[in-house]
Amino acid sequence: GYVRPGAAALPAAGCPGPLDGPVATCGMSRLLGGTLERVCKAVLLLCLLHFLVAVILYFDVYAQHLAFFTRFSVHGPARVLHPAASSNSNCSRPNATAPSSRLPEVPSARPGPTAPVLPPCPDSPPGLVGRLLIEFTSPMPLERVQRENPGVLLGGRYTPPDCTPAQTVAVIIPFRHREHHLRYWLHYLHPILRRQRLRYGVYVINQHGEDTFNRAKLLNVGFLEALKEDAAYDCFIFSDVDLVPMDDRNLYRCSDQPRHFAIAMDKFGFRLPYAGYFGGVSGLSKAQFLRINGFPNEYWGWGGEDDDIFNRISLTGMKISRPDIRIGRYRMIKHDRDKHNEPNPQ
């Protein structure tokens, strides 16, 4: 363009004019500008690399969800013909190429998380206390029992959270008018059974009405009702509601022979009253119970049915197993003889 005569030429961009500072200032500005440009480019490349890595990881994690959409084409979901339909449609075209019987491949989804396999419960549970202090003086509301046993489900069911028990135990209690005793029994037995790592359920079998009490028939009812609820029960503990064990090493499990647990009650001076005694608390496996055809149904009133059960076991060739007398100790809740549960004269 036109330059006015006598005017100085304009300096290059970023460079000093004839009246400005030294030329070194211009070189420094250019150097700093180039460095800043390279730094900006490097930051931009790092951001782009980070974005690409994030996209790859996202696609890898959610690939199984994206694979779902590959099953659909623009015409909708693919349809697979039944093999018989394919062969029939081909009969009218004898020279046609037989359609492939191979089904479209469907991307396999990744397996979901599986429940952890728990180890077997130990034969000797590590959390047992041993000798227990049992007393029946403090009041025992059911709310306290529930509060102290948060892992026990409604209906008295419990399963250890950290191991797999070898047996599923049904504890059966013949019952009538013993609410006070039942609260104590639940208060002491639930913690004991949980420490023993048992999978168990408690069944209180109530005799309705005021007729003469029949303990053995109620136990038969409990056996059948427990199996109706859970066919997995393979061990049955039959316990009077007024007997509480004094040692949690007295394991409520079934063995290869019928088990008698309450062998040393305070009522009898912590001694076995006689060799054939099988009362109080006893246990039989499902196979053992069926082998003796259950318990007798005709003993009305107190006593006699436990001796009959002992005879049934002996006649089938089985033997009674018992814990050590120092472990099989029980306390009985003192009470008067129930009305309509008088001693059986027969």
Side-chain angles (χ1 to χ4, degrees):
Y2 170 77
V3 179
R4 180 170 53 86
L10 294 174
C15 294
L19 303 179
D20 294 333
V23 179
T25 305
C26 178
M28 183 65 67
S29 299
R30 289 180 177 178
L31 179 63
L32 291 176
T35 303
L36 182 61
E37 181 181 4
R38 286 192 293 271
V39 170
C40 291
K41 289 181 179 179
V43 172
L44 182 62
L45 288 176
L46 288 176
C47 292
L48 180 60
L49 179 62
H50 176 77
F51 175 75
L52 291 176
V53 171
V55 169
I56 293 173
L57 292 177
Y58 180 87
F59 181 79
D60 180 67
V61 172
Y62 293 96
Q64 63 270 31
H65 298 289
L66 297 176
F68 171 80
F69 297 100
T70 63
R71 303 180 187 182
F72 295 85
S73 63
V74 294
H75 300 292
R79 296 181 180 179
V80 180
L81 294 177
H82 192 277
S86 300
S87 60
N88 291 338
S89 62
N90 209 34
C91 292
S92 59
R93 296 182 296 148
N95 297 328
T97 303
S100 174
S101 60
R102 184 179 179 182
L103 298 179
E105 294 184 0
V106 178
S108 59
R110 295 185 177 182
T114 58
V117 178
L118 298 178
C121 293
D123 292 335
S124 299
L128 298 181
V129 177
R131 188 68 62 85
L132 305 171
L133 176 63
I134 307 296
E135 57 90 19
F136 306 116
T137 57
S138 302
M140 191 57 57
L142 285 178
E143 291 76 15
R144 176 181 172 182
V145 176
Q146 185 177 12
R147 183 173 62 253
E148 293 174 344
N149 299 276
V152 178
L153 302 179
L154 187 65
R157 302 294 297 271
Y158 178 79
T159 299
D162 55 351
C163 63
T164 303
Q167 300 177 356
T168 302
V169 181
V171 184
I172 299 174
I173 301 175
F175 184 83
R176 187 171 66 180
H177 303 327
R178 294 286 189 91
E179 290 81 3
H180 178 64
H181 296 172
L182 180 61
R183 294 190 186 101
Y184 282 121
W185 191 97
L186 295 172
H187 167 70
Y188 285 113
L189 263 297
H190 273 307
I192 291 175
L193 300 177
R194 289 192 291 110
R195 289 197 299 270
Q196 293 182 359
R197 297 293 200 277
L198 296 180
R199 182 197 294 121
Y200 69 90
V202 176
Y203 294 85
V204 180
I205 312 301
N206 180 69
Q207 180 170 327
H208 177 69
E210 299 298 330
D211 292 337
T212 304
F213 196 68
N214 190 323
R215 176 179 181 268
K217 178 174 279 193
L218 293 175
L219 298 179
N220 285 336
V221 171
F223 175 85
L224 295 176
E225 291 299 320
L227 287 176
K228 287 180 184 178
E229 184 175 86
D230 190 346
Y233 283 123
D234 50 7
C235 177
F236 298 84
I237 308 297
F238 305 96
S239 174
D240 290 347
V241 73
D242 56 357
L243 288 177
V244 175
M246 301 177 65
D247 197 311
D248 60 3
R249 294 172 295 177
N250 192 0
L251 301 179
Y252 275 35
R253 301 174 183 168
C254 293
S255 60
D256 55 351
Q257 299 293 332
R259 185 78 166 173
H260 186 212
F261 298 95
I263 65 170
M265 293 188 289
D266 57 352
K267 175 184 178 180
F268 301 128
F270 297 109
R271 294 189 302 270
L272 190 68
Y274 53 93
Y277 180 66
F278 196 68
V281 184
S282 58
L284 289 89
S285 69
K286 180 180 178 181
Q288 293 164 359
F289 187 91
L290 295 176
R291 185 175 177 182
I292 66 172
N293 195 30
F295 297 157
N297 287 321
E298 299 305 322
Y299 284 85
W300 299 90
W302 181 85
E305 85 290 338
D306 49 353
D307 295 335
D308 192 310
I309 296 170
F310 179 87
N311 292 335
R312 291 179 180 225
I313 293 173
S314 300
L315 290 173
T316 56
M318 294 186 288
K319 305 293 183 181
I320 303 296
S321 70
R322 293 187 171 102
D324 186 276
I325 196 168
R326 292 168 296 181
I327 295 178
R329 297 164 65 94
Y330 278 76
R331 280 206 65 184
M332 175 180 285
I333 306 174
K334 291 182 172 57
H335 59 87
D336 297 328
R337 174 64 52 200
D338 297 333
K339 187 178 181 181
H340 304 297
N341 192 26
E342 294 78 10
N344 188 341
Q346 301 176 353

